[in-house]
Amino acid sequence: MKQRVSTLLREKFGREVVLEKPKDRSFGHFATPIAFSIAKELKKSPMAISEELASSFNENDVFSSVESVKGYLNFRLSENFLSDYAAWALTNPGEFGKQEKREKILLEFVSANPTGPLHIGHARGAVYGDTLLKLGRHLGYDITAEYYVNDAGNQIDLLGLSIQLEGRATLLGEAVEYPESYYRGEYLASLVNGAVEKFGKEILSDESRQKELALWAKDKVMDIIVKDLGDLNIFFDTFVYESSLYDDWERVLAKMGEGVYEKEGKTWIASEIHGDEKDRVVVREDGRPTYLAGDIVYHNQKFERSYEHYINIWGADHHGYISRVKAAVEFLGYESKKLEVLLSQMVSLLKDGEPYKMSKRAGNVILMSDIVEEIGSDALRYIFASKKCDTALEFDLAEFKKQDSSNPIFYIQYAHARIKTILSKSNFTEEEILASSLKGLDENADSLLFDALLLPEIIEDAFASRQVQKLPDYLKSLAASLHKFYYDCRIIGSNDEAKLLKLFMVVALSLKTGLSLLGIEAKEQMSKEED
RNA sequence: GCGCUCGUAGCUCAGUUGGAUAGAGCAUUGGUUUGCGGUACCAAAGGUCACAGGUUCGACUCCUGUCGGGCGCACCA
């Protein structure tokens, strides 16, 4: 819709035109301050220019009026244009807001270590990434969702040790000393049981079998993670295992050529010349590659799979890591600007007004799965999708548990359910409703129709700017418009019943499509709570 | 100390590539159709957009500085 208008104006004026939605609908559907920007070069006042431009528009299919107000140029879309568009959307509901962008994108997100279940902090990046994925796919991008599994290094050894200690303490009744870094949590108990079943009790006391135990356990933990993500309606196309990458290290090292050098018996990457604070070690003195080495091989592999664009969603605590990975990408001979790293900020928790520190190793984490069980996937997804991801988020644990109207997801769901209810109450059939005309709507109805048809622009904007929260914001305001309209205007029994129901169907389509892009199913009816 | 990032209503957050009177929800207060689900709607109150400069016809938005919060500054992952 906006695209259509902006193309039209570009042709007419021979330049890009800034289009915005006026805050006050009485100003029209779209507006542009173009007169201000060209006032200087034309040496005329903005008022005069906009007057002139406004009168230069003739009768036209798209606009019913073009007005000049205080230097702004305000456009009102014609009934024909709006009603045709709405009718098209209703007969092609699956196509509403779709585009065919086609670009191949690799989207890496979550990538939490397989040493324990996902906690509530992981949920934010997971929801953000998955929402971006759904938006992008709707726009026709060919996106692969990938999870990088850090199944190598000390942390995996530590997982093996942790299971042994847990087992020896709880199952064998030994008194054990827990090191500072030891992992804790309920999941360890189930891993102990699983391990004993598979390997027998001996494995708990045999230090030489720690590695074997760890390798088995990390796969079990991944199973838990995948299941928890599935409960949030999040699914990955591919998993890449860090442990599988090191075989390729020598080749990748050679590929970086001048970018790496030997010093003090170690191998370094000259990342400083690409903007890093200093050069970094990639192979230690004892010959073991560092974690960065794994990431370098991984990114080389990504680029060898040749996508047009790469998006990584990392926790904000990794931001210092961006420049060294980009440096490596450059040394490998690829364009680092194709790699876009988005940071998902920390989620800090408050409990009874006091900061609540989670630590995986202290065992006091708030598990994502517990929250999903308590408030449901829809509410959790909405909460995280509706916050800009680059601000640190702070909330009280109690807020999470509230399942009332303070969570706008119920408000939006109710709007959708309301439409479905009223449609089922009407005596008109769906055919009759679809056959009716959307012309001759009053100002409020016209405004609601326009709002509902705005979804495609919101989707495109939300994805392009990576500002996923624009979609939930839009849905909330569309729901508010619907509720208000419903309150002000009696539908059933009115002369315009079929016409208004058709309008409502457009709103429902917009709500449903928008919700599905948030990974949330639109409800046909709300369950009544008696209390 | 250095780097990144954030600072908008009592709280949680929006604010369209710089544009018209800075907006929602929650919380508070007061209202609402002898009508389609009141899980709704309306209204009041609440702001020096952290502070100070600068650029511009125009700044919450861009630039500089100050203050404050978060994160990072490993041969750990």
Side-chain angles (χ1 to χ4, degrees), chain A residues 417-433:
Chain A
R418 205 165 216 185
I419 294 172
K420 292 297 167 181
T421 306
I422 198 168
L423 281 169
S424 71
K425 282 209 169 144
S426 168
N427 288 324
F428 284 94
T429 65
E430 195 173 317
E431 288 71 28
E432 288 170 321
I433 294 169

Side-chain angles (χ1 to χ4, degrees), chain A residues 197-256:
Chain A
E197 207 169 291
K198 180 160 174 70
F199 302 103
K201 276 188 182 176
E202 315 80 70
I203 198 160
L204 294 177
S205 314
D206 189 345
E207 221 164 289
S208 68
R209 297 182 69 187
Q210 223 174 69
K211 190 86 185 173
E212 180 188 354
L213 182 59
L215 291 178
W216 167 84
K218 57 109 173 162
D219 287 337
K220 290 288 162 201
V221 174
M222 271 314 287
D223 290 345
I224 297 173
I225 290 175
V226 167
K227 183 195 169 293
D228 287 351
L229 288 170
D231 289 343
L232 253 188
N233 202 3
I234 296 175
F235 302 93
F236 286 86
D237 301 308
T238 49
F239 292 83
V240 172
Y241 291 85
E242 183 187 358
S243 57
S244 72
L245 295 172
Y246 293 101
D247 289 346
D248 208 16
W249 173 238
E250 292 301 328
R251 185 179 69 87
V252 173
L253 192 63
K255 192 170 171 181
M256 285 191 288

Side-chain angles (χ1 to χ4, degrees), chain A residues 7-22:
Chain A
T7 310
L8 201 85
L9 294 182
R10 195 182 316 123
E11 283 166 8
K12 185 167 172 68
F13 296 142
R15 64 161 73 208
E16 267 318 309
V17 176
V18 175
L19 263 192
E20 56 198 36
K21 284 167 277 178

